[in-house]
């Protein structure tokens, strides 16, 4: 089986004129420009609807059961940055997974110098000896100002991976719709990506704690938040965990066909 | 203050007052009483309406002592061995209390003059006007909360160590681990006694009442120093079944090394 995979991989590399050991790494300038365009579009949408976005995020956070440790949460700031991530140094390698199955993988360096920030106001609740016996007001501004890492991208079929989410396994009621979706998930190709563990994530965290007598920018609070954010990130998209994205069908179909408007509009 | 406290939450809850009352009662039962007092019981306890003021001074990693306590009896690598986690937190807080909390007690005053147990008098005591202003540690780790009183805010030791961080485990402040060196934690406390009308004016009776007041004051200060003042602490376990259980840990001088239930164990303190 291993030989067969090696043959397929070698055949692909040969017919695409790629030599994994001799080819120089590529710059991805063209890709950066296209990605920047999508991010810009996303930012515009958020800026236009900023109040609505904050409001719906507030609703979302407060409807969610966050345990009884935190009081109501108010979002005070969202900053989605001014710059764009820069991808570079792309090279193709052959990797084998834990069961020895070989695959082709693109390794891409990513560098982001920007400010992605999130500000919240809440209260830490002390529930001893009675619920909400004492509360400690907390204001936080958490910004990620630098991210550097190596992104690994490959395509694969679903059978090689198990889901880390418990939700998909504990579907209690048999549901035709779900069954169908699950079967679809098992078919076709998926894009998987993950970051190498030696990534760097730099934070700028501001904290204000207390009701009248306040403590400002406590290093311990910063390290607590850094720990939680990195934990969230590592548990989702740092090796050996992968993010798994089902690829859409790109076969040309009439329902996906468009053409440019011919009548000029006012703007 | 840094914390907003809903003091009325616990003041209005009879079950909490009752629990504290029971707790104090069992402590009192284990106190060796002097010859002139019998059957001392807590009759009433109230949190009062005035809340303490709590100011947050510092947030740090918990002191190594708390980990040592959690890992006591375990060998490194054992199941349950606790190592510091980034989510463990310790608060240094300043607590100021000058409220209207009160405790009332009843007992018998025994007059040993002119002969042994010559007269037994019913007696009522009211403890009021409790005041303190102290630095305290509150640490959270391994699903347990540790609370320890460090010292009074005007303790001279605080002036001496301006140059080094207060909570440095090797610093002058935390290192000695000797209780009783610092000035008293309780700043004020009144004990008023009430005895039958007909005995007022009897000098020998009143003299013994004064002794009893003094005795109880000392007992109460001892309780705080021995059980919740550094290097001892109160330990609240929030994990699993023993949710409600409260136990005392720390470096008990006469400690067996195990955690001692705060309502157990004898107290051999004698008075002169």
């Amino acid at each position: 089986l291993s030989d067969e995979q090696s043959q397929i991989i070698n055949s692909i590399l040969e017919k695409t004129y790629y030599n994994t050991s001799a080819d120089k790494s590529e710059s991805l300038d063209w890709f950066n420009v296209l990605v920047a365009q999508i991010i810009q579009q996303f930012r515009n949408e958020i800026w236009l609807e900023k109040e609505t976005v904050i409001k719906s995020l507030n609703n979302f956070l407060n409807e969610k059961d966050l345990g009884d440790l935190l009081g109501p949460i108010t979002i005070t700031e969202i900053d989605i940055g001014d710059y764009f991530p820069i991808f570079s140094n792309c090279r193709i390698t052959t990797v084998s997974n834990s069961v020895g199955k070989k695959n082709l993988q693109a390794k891409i360096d990513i560098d982001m110098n920007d400010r992605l920030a999130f500000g919240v106001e809440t209260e830490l609740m002390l529930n001893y000896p009675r619920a909400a016996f004492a509360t400690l007001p907390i204001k936080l501004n958490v910004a990620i100002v630098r991210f550097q890492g190596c992104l690994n991208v490959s395509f694969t079929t679903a059978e090689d991976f198990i889901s880390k989410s418990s939700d998909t396994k504990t579907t209690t009621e048999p549901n035709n719709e779900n069954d169908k979706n699950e079967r679809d998930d098992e078919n076709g190709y998926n894009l998987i990506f993950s970051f190498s563990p030696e990534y760097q994530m730099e934070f700028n965290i501001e904290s204000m704690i207390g009701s009248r007598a306040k403590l400002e920018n406590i290093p311990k609070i910063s390290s607590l938040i850094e720990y939680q954010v990195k934990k969230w990130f590592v548990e989702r998209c740092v090796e050996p965990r992968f993010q798994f994205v089902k690829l859409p069908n790109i076969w040309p179909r009439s329902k996906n066909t468009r053409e440019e408007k011919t009548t000029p509009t006012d703007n | 203050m840094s914390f907003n406290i809903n003091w009325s939450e616990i003041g209005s809850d009879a079950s909490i007052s009752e629990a504290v009352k029971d707790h104090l009662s069992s402590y009192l039962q284990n106190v060796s009483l002097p010859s002139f007092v019998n059957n001392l019981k807590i009759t009433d306890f109230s949190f009062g309406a005035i809340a303490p003021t709590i100011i947050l001074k510092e947030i740090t990693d918990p002191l190594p002592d708390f980990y040592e306590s959690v890992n006591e009896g375990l060998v490194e690598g054992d199941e349950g061995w606790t190592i510091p986690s980034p989510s463990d937190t310790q608060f240094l807080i300043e607590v100021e209390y000058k409220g209207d909390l009160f405790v009332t007690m009843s007992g018998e005053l025994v007059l040993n003059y002119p002969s042994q147990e010559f007269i037994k008098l019913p007696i009522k005591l009211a403890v009021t006007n409790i005041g303190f202003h102290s630095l305290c540690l509150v640490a959270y780790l391994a699903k347990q909360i540790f609370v320890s009183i460090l010292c009074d805010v005007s303790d001279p030791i605080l002036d001496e160590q301006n140059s080094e961080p207060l909570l440095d485990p090797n610093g002058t402040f935390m290192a000695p681990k000797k209780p009783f060196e610092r000035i008293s934690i309780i700043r004020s406390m009144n004990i008023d006694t009430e005895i039958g009308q007909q005995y007022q004016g009897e000098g020998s009776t009143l003299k013994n009442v004064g002794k009893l007041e003094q005795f109880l004051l000392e007992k109460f200060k001892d309780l705080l120093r021995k059980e919740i003042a550094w290097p001892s602490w109160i330990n609240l376990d929030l994990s699993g079944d023993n949710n409600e259980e409260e136990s005392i840990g720390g470096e008990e001088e006469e400690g067996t090394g195990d955690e001692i239930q705060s309502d157990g164990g004898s107290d051999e303190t004698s008075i002169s």
Side-chain angles (χ1 to χ4, degrees):
Chain A
L1 184 74
S2 173
D3 281 349
E4 199 184 315
Q5 285 162 13
S6 297
Q7 271 180 25
I8 295 170
I9 287 170
N10 288 338
S11 162
I12 288 175
L13 289 171
E14 207 181 305
K15 290 169 183 168
T16 51
Y17 317 108
Y18 197 95
N19 184 332
T20 50
S21 50
D23 271 35
K24 280 182 186 161
S25 64
E26 279 179 57
S27 95
L28 285 168
D29 300 349
W30 63 273
F31 183 66
N32 292 333
V33 174
L34 294 184
V35 168
Q37 211 181 353
I38 298 168
I39 292 173
Q40 190 57 52
Q41 165 82 14
F42 172 69
R43 280 181 187 151
N44 288 347
E45 279 168 19
I46 289 204
W47 286 129
L48 282 174
E49 302 281 330
K50 200 177 180 190
E51 295 307 310
T52 325
V53 169
I54 289 182
K55 208 172 155 189
S56 62
L57 259 175
N58 266 328
N59 289 342
F60 171 75
L61 284 173
N62 287 302
E63 273 166 20
K64 237 178 128 151
D65 183 22
L66 296 165
D68 46 10
L69 212 60
L70 292 180
I73 298 173
T74 314
I75 295 168
T76 52
E77 189 206 349
I78 294 180
D79 192 345
I80 44 171
D82 283 321
Y83 296 88
F84 301 103
I86 300 300
F87 297 88
S88 63
N89 192 25
C90 176
R91 61 273 182 204
I92 298 285
T93 56
T94 314
V95 292
S96 9
N97 66 14
S98 54
V99 291
K101 191 177 172 185
K102 288 186 177 160
N103 200 6
L104 289 167
Q105 188 183 60
K107 294 178 93 68
I108 306 166
D109 288 349
I110 174 170
D111 193 354
M112 191 203 78
N113 260 302
D114 207 341
R115 186 172 185 277
L116 304 181
F118 189 69
V120 287
E121 267 183 51
T122 186
E123 283 177 329
L124 185 70
M125 314 276 274
L126 271 73
N127 296 315
Y128 191 88
R130 276 290 294 269
F133 166 60
T135 58
L136 182 65
I138 295 177
K139 279 187 193 179
L140 287 175
N141 269 59
V142 181
I144 295 173
V145 293
R146 183 85 196 261
F147 180 82
Q148 262 184 309
C150 181
L151 179 67
N152 305 308
V153 182
S154 58
F155 296 109
T156 185
T157 48
E159 64 202 20
D160 298 336
F161 296 93
I162 50 160
S163 170
K164 292 304 290 183
S165 147
S166 53
D167 303 347
T168 53
K169 282 173 190 167
T170 55
T171 314
T172 45
E173 286 171 39
N175 182 324
N176 285 338
E177 189 67 20
N178 277 349
D179 282 358
K180 189 177 171 293
N181 288 341
E182 261 173 46
R183 250 183 287 116
D184 282 352
D185 282 348
E186 302 302 316
N187 293 328
Y189 261 83
N190 293 273
L191 179 142
I192 60 172
F193 69 89
S194 75
F195 292 93
S196 299
E198 56 277 4
Y199 69 92
Q200 273 185 39
M201 203 186 254
E202 281 171 35
F203 291 82
N204 189 342
I205 296 170
E206 289 164 6
S207 60
M208 184 81 97
I209 293 178
S211 179
R212 264 163 285 166
K214 294 181 174 72
L215 278 183
E216 218 177 317
N217 298 337
I218 303 300
K220 174 66 190 170
I221 296 295
S222 304
S223 66
L224 255 176
I225 291 162
E226 268 195 54
Y227 168 72
Q228 293 298 342
V229 174
K230 284 182 174 170
K231 187 165 171 265
W232 184 91
F233 180 65
V234 165
E235 282 173 358
R236 281 160 183 78
C237 33
V238 173
E239 279 178 337
R241 303 273 168 85
F242 292 89
Q243 280 296 304
F244 205 86
V245 185
K246 171 88 181 144
L247 286 182
N249 192 336
I250 53 165
W251 182 254
R253 283 186 289 186
S254 57
K255 69 166 181 176
N256 292 336
T257 309
R258 306 278 187 282
E259 64 180 15
E260 265 183 69
K261 286 175 184 168
T262 44
T263 45
T265 55
D266 291 337
N267 21 322
Chain B
M1 68 172 86
S2 301
F3 284 86
N4 296 316
I5 301 169
N6 301 316
W7 193 247
S8 57
E9 282 285 321
I10 62 162
S12 61
D13 189 331
S15 66
I16 295 176
S17 301
E18 206 57 33
V20 175
K21 201 176 118 181
D22 291 348
H23 200 82
L24 289 173
S25 296
S26 52
Y27 177 77
L28 211 57
Q29 267 166 26
N30 291 306
V31 173
S32 45
L33 293 168
S35 61
F36 56 81
V37 60
N38 270 345
N39 296 327
L40 204 55
K41 284 184 190 118
I42 309 277
T43 49
D44 205 0
F45 172 86
S46 164
F47 280 103
I50 301 164
T53 303
I54 300 179
I55 296 171
L56 197 53
K57 306 294 279 183
E58 255 182 69
I59 304 173
T60 56
D61 289 325
L63 287 167
D65 302 76
F66 297 129
Y67 292 98
E68 279 166 29
S69 152
V70 171
N71 289 331
E72 206 153 82
L74 295 171
V75 179
E76 200 170 336
D78 276 3
E79 200 184 324
W81 178 265
T82 302
I83 54 159
S85 152
S87 59
D88 298 345
T89 314
Q90 177 175 275
F91 288 172
L92 176 67
I93 55 175
E94 183 184 321
V95 184
E96 184 175 14
Y97 182 74
K98 195 92 184 71
D100 49 354
L101 180 149
F102 73 81
V103 187
T104 57
M105 286 174 275
S106 71
E108 283 173 348
L109 188 64
V110 185
L111 289 157
N112 293 315
Y113 181 84
S115 60
Q116 269 313 94
E117 299 202 2
F118 180 60
I119 301 175
K120 288 183 185 175
L121 303 172
I123 186 168
K124 277 187 191 169
L125 295 124
V127 183
T128 53
N129 187 35
I130 296 171
F132 57 88
H133 193 174
S134 305
L135 285 179
C136 302
L137 271 188
V138 180
Y140 175 78
L141 59 128
K143 291 190 174 160
Q144 295 182 45
I145 293 175
F146 297 84
V147 183
S148 182
I149 299 176
L150 294 182
C151 65
D152 190 276
V153 289
S154 53
D155 195 296
I157 196 165
L158 294 174
D159 304 326
E160 289 165 18
Q161 48 90 53
N162 282 332
S163 53
E164 58 176 302
L166 188 67
L167 297 176
D168 179 358
N170 303 313
T172 48
F173 188 74
M174 305 306 294
K177 287 188 182 174
K178 285 191 206 122
F180 313 122
E181 277 184 0
R182 291 159 201 167
I183 67 167
S184 175
I185 291 160
I186 295 289
R187 285 189 166 186
S188 70
M189 182 159 110
N190 284 4
I191 298 183
D192 297 313
T193 34
E194 207 181 282
I195 51 170
Q197 186 74 33
Q198 62 269 44
Y199 301 105
Q200 286 189 6
E202 295 270 347
S204 58
T205 314
L206 288 179
K207 199 174 88 192
N208 276 344
V209 170
K211 254 193 204 172
L212 183 62
E213 288 174 356
Q214 201 54 43
F215 170 76
L216 287 168
L217 262 172
E218 287 308 314
K219 272 292 153 200
F220 193 70
K221 288 177 179 179
D222 266 6
L223 170 83
L224 285 175
R225 274 194 298 222
K226 290 182 94 168
E227 303 214 340
I228 62 172
W230 184 261
S232 291
W233 54 71
I234 294 178
N235 180 2
L236 304 165
D237 198 336
L238 305 179
S239 64
D241 309 326
N242 31 356
N243 219 342
E244 304 289 315
E245 209 167 291
E246 187 183 320
S247 59
I248 301 293
E251 317 262 331
E252 302 277 338
E253 273 182 312
E254 74 280 60
T256 56
D258 296 324
E259 285 192 346
I260 300 165
Q261 294 300 313
S262 53
D263 49 357
S266 63
D267 191 312
E268 296 301 331
T269 313
S270 58
I271 62 143
S272 50

